Amino acid sequence: MMNEKVRALLNQQINKEFYSAYLYLDFSNYFKANNLDGFANWYMIQAQEERDHALLFYQYLQNNNQDVTLDAIAKPEFTAAEHMDVLKAGLAHEEYVTSLINDIYAEAYANKDFRTMQFLDWFVKEQGEEETNANDLIAKMELFGSDPRSLYLLNQELGTRVYTAPSLVL
């Protein structure tokens, strides 16, 4: 039987992942409104990934005969004065999600819930990749963002990103 605190944290993570999807949709909308379709595409794909992460947590709980409670998803409250604000907010959000995953992992470890720890291993690795991607995007924007031609090329590069569903076996 799964520890109640572990179950509650996993259940809360569903909501946090759906919020992440909303936030990235908001970021995508920001860039679309600023005629940066490549950046909009990049964040649209981020939103799709976060939605799928929520569904992975949902399926994991169901596969372990645990109740799932879906809560309301908060509206993202974000405003940007410049493009870099969005990118930095994305990195800060990924660092926050990493802390949430680490908290669940620590609670699973404290309860010797090795199945949940194994499930979370993929998310630990994924969060490392997400933070690296966010940092790389910031670095590219710092290098190229002030030059319109370079910003155009970066926007084109981000527009080529395609969505690949996670291949996590539950």
Side-chain angles (χ1 to χ4, degrees):
M1 201 64 192
M2 187 179 289
N3 172 275
E4 178 54 32
K5 187 166 182 185
V6 171
R7 187 204 66 78
L9 288 170
L10 289 166
N11 201 85
Q12 289 170 8
Q13 193 63 28
I14 295 169
N15 182 272
K16 301 294 186 182
E17 297 290 342
F18 278 129
Y19 173 81
S20 296
Y22 270 35
L23 181 65
Y24 289 141
L25 283 174
D26 200 30
F27 290 0
S28 180
N29 191 47
Y30 166 86
F31 283 114
K32 188 74 170 174
N34 283 278
N35 298 311
L36 289 168
D37 292 347
F39 282 84
N41 175 68
W42 200 87
Y43 280 108
M44 179 63 73
I45 289 171
Q46 284 298 109
Q48 291 172 310
E49 286 185 0
E50 302 304 338
R51 177 206 59 212
D52 282 355
H53 294 170
L55 294 175
L56 288 170
F57 281 99
Y58 176 88
Q59 189 66 54
Y60 179 75
L61 285 169
Q62 285 192 333
N63 287 351
N64 285 279
N65 298 313
Q66 300 298 309
D67 291 333
V68 174
T69 305
L70 299 175
D71 294 323
I73 301 167
K75 177 182 184 241
E77 298 293 336
F78 176 78
T79 55
E82 59 184 63
H83 306 324
M84 186 63 86
D85 293 342
V86 179
L87 306 185
K88 288 182 177 180
L91 173 59
H93 185 73
E94 288 301 337
E95 291 170 341
Y96 169 67
V97 172
T98 297
S99 75
L100 295 172
I101 299 296
N102 289 343
D103 290 346
I104 302 168
Y105 202 101
E107 191 63 34
Y109 179 79
N111 286 281
K112 297 182 180 180
D113 184 346
F114 302 112
R115 184 182 316 167
T116 298
M117 290 166 55
Q118 184 178 29
F119 167 72
L120 292 171
D121 283 343
W122 183 87
F123 288 95
V124 170
K125 181 178 179 281
E126 176 71 7
Q127 282 310 119
E129 291 172 8
E130 294 291 1
E131 288 184 27
T132 296
N133 290 340
N135 273 311
D136 289 350
L137 191 51
I138 289 169
K140 287 179 181 180
M141 185 63 122
E142 287 172 342
L143 283 171
F144 307 120
S146 61
D147 175 56
R149 288 176 296 222
S150 296
L151 180 61
Y152 174 80
L153 292 174
L154 179 56
N155 185 60
Q156 293 299 108
E157 175 188 325
L158 296 176
T160 65
R161 184 179 183 200
V162 295
Y163 179 67
T164 305
S167 58
L168 177 64
V169 178
L170 301 178

